Amino acid sequence: EKIEQVYNMYNDAGSGSFSKETLFLASRSYYFVAAETVLSSTENLDGETLRRLELKELLEVLEGPVEEASTKISRVRCRAVFDGVEGWVTMAGNNGTEYLMASDGNLEVVREVPLTDALHEGNVLRQLSHGEKLEVLEWDKKNPAEDVRVKVKVKGSTDMGWVTRASADGMQYLKIQ
């Protein structure tokens, strides 16, 4: 029964098959930063610090987890979603601190916003309502107005398009779940 529920969740519009895009969505893995930590250049703890990670920042897993040789601490290679910087992060310290928490990487609409057919404010497909859930196909691209936009698929429907995550003046339309 559970397998059938998962299958139905990813079954493209009842077609009995999965598209390449749907399979890609289903295979992605995300974490959000739960405690102060850094993104470093190597799998080992002695790598160069690339930058500090912000609390609640979203990371896409690229590799791992792998166990760091000297300390037996699990680390993952990931990409920071909002700026694309790639590196290694410790998942949990030996004292029990959880640096990363699992996330589905989905977004939720917090302010009504149009879903359009193009990155640069194309035709409006429909208005997205507060509380709607979105699966991200492409993260953060800026349009000429400097709005931050994402390409999404609306959960529970076949609607796909571009939506403003944050306007150039800082207005937030979407939040990470």
Side-chain angles (χ1 to χ4, degrees):
E1 184 179 312
K2 291 210 183 260
I3 290 173
E4 188 172 329
Q5 288 174 338
V6 171
Y7 173 79
N8 289 335
M9 187 170 69
Y10 291 107
N11 183 7
D12 289 337
S15 67
S17 65
F18 299 112
S19 68
K20 186 177 178 182
E21 196 167 71
T22 299
L23 186 59
F24 175 70
L25 281 175
S27 68
R28 292 190 301 182
S29 179
Y30 292 96
Y31 286 97
F32 71 86
V33 178
E36 287 188 17
T37 190
V38 297
L39 193 63
S40 61
S41 61
T42 66
E43 181 180 324
N44 300 322
L45 291 174
D46 58 1
E48 173 190 346
T49 296
L50 300 174
R51 73 170 179 81
R52 296 201 70 68
L53 294 170
E54 303 291 325
L55 287 178
K56 301 206 177 201
E57 184 169 354
L58 190 65
L59 305 171
E60 182 179 6
V61 175
L62 303 173
E63 181 182 339
V66 296
E67 198 172 86
E68 199 271 340
S70 64
T71 62
K72 308 292 187 214
I73 290 176
S74 291
R75 293 178 48 87
V76 290
R77 188 171 73 87
C78 49
R79 175 185 309 114
V81 166
F82 299 127
D83 66 6
V85 175
E86 294 181 14
W88 290 86
V89 181
T90 299
M91 295 181 71
N94 11 0
N95 64 354
T97 303
E98 296 278 336
Y99 295 108
L100 302 179
M101 300 292 287
S103 171
D104 61 12
N106 291 330
L107 298 172
E108 181 178 343
V109 178
V110 294
R111 195 172 267 108
E112 192 172 282
V113 63
L115 179 70
T116 66
D117 64 358
L119 170 63
H120 302 298
E121 309 292 338
N123 298 318
V124 174
L125 302 173
R126 74 176 183 91
Q127 286 294 114
L128 296 175
S129 302
H130 183 273
E132 284 193 86
K133 309 290 191 258
L134 311 171
E135 294 177 80
V136 179
L137 303 175
E138 287 184 49
W139 283 98
D140 294 10
K141 308 278 186 212
K142 285 194 176 178
N143 66 10
E146 293 293 307
D147 297 325
V148 177
R149 302 204 10 110
V150 289
K151 186 175 183 183
V152 299
K153 178 182 182 295
V154 180
K155 289 189 111 179
S157 88
T158 58
D159 296 344
M160 287 192 297
W162 289 88
V163 63
T164 299
R165 184 176 66 77
S167 65
D169 64 5
M171 177 75 69
Q172 297 291 315
Y173 294 93
L174 309 173
K175 73 174 183 177
I176 295 171
Q177 285 188 282

